[in-house]
Amino acid sequence: MGRIFFLLLIIVPALEIWVLILSGNYIGIPATILLIILTGILGAALAKKEGLNAIRTAQLQASQGQVPSGVLLDGICILVGGVVLLTPGFITDGIGFFLLFPQTRAIFKGFLRRIFEKKIQSGNVIIHTNRKW
């Protein structure tokens, strides 16, 4: 897992630079910069909207005695999507918007759910359900 993360830290920025250079050559430097700023602003607004919706849904489910597990996965996706949108580049913006839109986020949520289920079944994650504060 660490090796994959290390490779991503090298490959993704290199690809982002390449795409930004291509974009600057194709549509011009001012348009590329404007597009980067615009996607950042739109991404921040969408992350805020989706984050507030997730918090409201979690509060509603908790008040009804339900465990908001799906909403917690939504929150993880929204957080990661918002952070990724803060980095300049079109590839990371695409990933960020993918994680912010509810329809596409559902795909990643299923992937995350399977990872968590495997970790729990293998004993790598322990969930404590009875805490005394």
Side-chain angles (χ1 to χ4, degrees):
M1 185 71 161
R3 289 181 182 170
I4 293 172
F5 185 70
F6 180 71
L7 282 173
L8 287 175
L9 282 176
I10 294 171
I11 293 171
V12 171
L15 288 173
E16 288 287 13
I17 291 169
W18 179 65
V19 171
L20 287 171
I21 290 170
L22 285 176
S23 174
N25 288 335
Y26 188 70
I27 64 173
I29 294 172
T32 300
I33 293 171
L34 185 64
L35 201 54
I36 290 169
I37 293 169
L38 182 65
T39 58
I41 292 169
L42 289 173
L46 184 60
K48 180 180 178 182
K49 176 185 172 284
E50 292 299 321
L52 290 173
N53 285 342
I55 290 170
R56 281 190 212 104
T57 304
Q59 289 173 337
L60 179 66
Q61 288 178 348
S63 71
Q64 295 174 349
Q66 301 172 352
V67 177
S69 60
V71 177
L72 292 177
L73 290 177
D74 277 327
I76 291 170
C77 291
I78 293 165
L79 175 66
V80 171
V83 168
V84 169
L85 275 165
L86 291 176
T87 62
F90 297 120
I91 297 170
T92 52
D93 286 350
I95 294 168
F97 282 118
F98 180 85
L99 292 172
L100 289 181
F101 288 118
Q103 296 81 3
T104 54
R105 183 172 59 232
I107 296 167
F108 191 72
K109 272 177 52 179
F111 175 72
L112 266 182
R113 182 173 280 123
R114 285 191 296 278
I115 288 174
F116 284 136
E117 287 172 354
K118 286 180 184 178
K119 294 279 185 188
I120 291 169
Q121 289 172 356
S122 69
N124 290 334
V125 174
I126 300 170
I127 298 176
H128 297 279
T129 58
N130 189 7
R131 288 190 171 180
K132 293 181 183 179
W133 296 93

